Amino acid sequence: MDLYRELVGVYHADGSLVGELRYLWGKFRGTAHCALCDITHATVREKAAFKACRSRLPIPLRVLHLDERSEDLIEATEGRTPCVVGKAPDGWQMVLDAQTLDACKSSVECFERQLRLRLAGG
């Protein structure tokens, strides 16, 4: 469980005002989707259940948008978002991929279960 120093969730959307509006418009039209957004947010606010989930995790988890990533995070996640990666001694490693996040179907409980399973080596 202590393999990672931190966890980072990367949304499949930009965090700028234009990026957020583009995502919301795409979501409304059915042309944009981010399973991590669906897990962490209810409309425009972070879900209380997700805040509680983060506080229970043994490793800090932060979330970033595509345009907020560092160069090393871009290298580790480009073309693989949304996802959750973990910072290991030898670099970023995939913890939850887009398919796993999609399978959670917006459920924070499923997300936490999957995350804990992967952190435990499952």
Side-chain angles (χ1 to χ4, degrees):
M1 175 134 6
D2 56 359
L3 171 65
Y4 304 115
R5 291 192 309 244
E6 71 171 315
L7 299 168
V8 175
V10 182
Y11 295 119
H12 190 69
D14 286 334
S16 66
L17 179 59
V18 171
E20 293 280 351
L21 291 173
R22 185 179 306 125
Y23 174 75
L24 288 173
W25 177 246
K27 186 170 174 128
F28 173 75
R29 291 180 38 225
T31 59
H33 172 67
C34 174
L36 185 58
C37 295
D38 294 342
I39 291 166
T40 64
H41 284 75
T43 58
V44 295
R45 293 187 182 231
E46 188 174 77
K47 292 177 182 177
F50 185 71
K51 286 182 188 179
C53 167
R54 287 194 342 185
S55 72
R56 289 189 297 268
L57 294 174
I59 303 168
L61 168 66
R62 61 188 169 112
V63 289
L64 298 173
H65 295 88
L66 293 173
D67 57 346
E68 298 168 332
R69 297 174 295 169
S70 60
E71 286 298 319
D72 60 332
L73 267 174
I74 291 171
E75 187 176 312
T77 62
E78 191 66 25
R80 302 171 76 190
T81 59
C83 62
V84 176
V85 292
K87 181 69 169 183
D90 60 343
W92 294 104
Q93 296 179 357
M94 187 63 60
V95 178
L96 297 177
D97 61 17
Q99 292 79 16
T100 303
L101 295 173
D102 265 335
C104 286
K105 300 187 185 307
S106 306
S107 167
V108 175
E109 293 77 18
C110 176
F111 171 83
E112 185 172 359
R113 199 170 38 252
Q114 289 296 321
L115 187 54
R116 287 183 180 279
L117 180 67
R118 298 291 167 90
L119 293 177

